[in-house]
């Protein structure tokens, strides 16, 4: 069975590979996207991998996913800590949802320790670098397989 997964990346993640390598590593956004597409292909998942710096655009993607996708993986980046709108949209999406962070948001600045989305998602991965993205895809595959 083939599933459709939406992988949403929030603000500044397009700059992976250039921004704060000590936190986010040297893998570029393009490389990360390719790794995720490759893993998805192996698992027979149709992956849509998107990035936006605009909060409203992310909300619209989540709303539209309800009719199209079987699950959402999201690194909401800085919006994780601020966006009630993204939280509300995720709450309305009633299928599997995984939150991902490249860095460990719990051993950084105080303001990053609060995620507004953690309690409305199925589960999360943080602090495992770009491997976390691959692990999230594997976990989503298992969750949806178990549901069907
Ligand atoms: C991040 C952590 C956020 O606090 C930060 O604003 C990001 C990236 C991560 O992947 O570690 O942009 O979501």
């Amino acid at each position: 069975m083939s599933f459709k997964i939406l992988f949403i990346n929030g603000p500044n993640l397009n700059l992976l590979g250039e921004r704060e390598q000590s936190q986010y590593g040297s893998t570029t956004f393009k490389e990360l996207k390719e790794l995720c597409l490759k893993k998805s292909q192996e698992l027979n998942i149709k992956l849509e991998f998107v990035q936006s710096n605009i909060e409203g655009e992310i909300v619209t993607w989540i709303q539209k996913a309800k009719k199209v996708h079987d699950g959402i993986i999201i690194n909401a980046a800085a919006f994780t800590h601020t966006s009630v709108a993204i939280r509300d949209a995720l709450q309305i999406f009633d299928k599997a949802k995984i939150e991902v962070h490249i860095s460990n948001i719990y051993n950084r600045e105080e303001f990053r320790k609060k995620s507004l989305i953690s309690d409305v998602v199925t589960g999360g991965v943080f602090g495992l670098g770009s491997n976390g993205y691959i692990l999230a895809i594997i976990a989503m595959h298992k969750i949806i397989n178990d549901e069907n």
Side-chain angles (χ1 to χ4, degrees):
M1 193 168 165
S2 171
F3 311 120
K4 282 194 180 143
I5 304 301
L6 179 61
F7 202 134
I8 300 174
N9 290 275
N12 300 308
L13 293 173
N14 53 312
L15 300 180
L16 285 176
E18 322 174 11
R19 77 181 280 221
E20 292 175 88
Q21 289 202 3
S22 58
Q23 287 296 347
Y24 304 118
S26 56
T27 307
T28 65
F29 182 75
K30 189 169 173 277
E31 287 164 348
L32 191 53
K33 180 174 179 171
E34 278 160 13
L35 289 171
C36 290
L37 288 171
K38 186 168 171 274
K39 176 50 75 182
S40 302
Q41 246 175 15
E42 282 168 26
L43 296 173
N44 198 23
I45 292 170
K46 290 198 183 92
L47 185 77
E48 207 178 319
F49 194 89
V50 293
Q51 189 276 330
S52 178
N53 296 324
I54 303 166
E55 184 178 10
E57 190 167 26
I58 295 174
V59 170
T60 302
W61 282 336
I62 298 169
Q63 289 180 1
K64 288 189 174 157
K66 205 167 151 60
K67 286 206 180 127
V68 181
H69 295 92
D70 302 297
I72 291 179
I73 303 174
I74 183 163
N75 182 351
F79 291 146
T80 306
H81 318 294
T82 62
S83 179
V84 176
I86 290 176
R87 175 201 166 85
D88 286 351
L90 283 170
Q91 206 158 17
I92 296 162
F93 183 84
D94 55 0
K95 300 176 205 172
K97 304 161 250 197
I98 298 179
E99 174 181 5
V100 184
H101 297 287
I102 296 167
S103 66
N104 181 346
I105 57 172
Y106 300 102
N107 71 7
R108 299 183 61 189
E109 302 94 326
E110 276 308 308
F111 66 87
R112 290 187 207 276
K113 291 184 180 158
K114 177 75 191 157
S115 163
L116 295 186
I117 65 177
S118 290
D119 63 326
V120 299
V121 294
T122 314
V125 182
F126 59 88
L128 301 180
S130 33
N131 282 333
Y133 273 51
I134 302 299
L135 292 173
I137 292 169
I138 295 169
M140 182 61 85
H141 180 253
K142 175 101 177 78
I143 292 167
I144 298 175
N145 260 316
D146 288 352
E147 279 170 356
N148 286 274

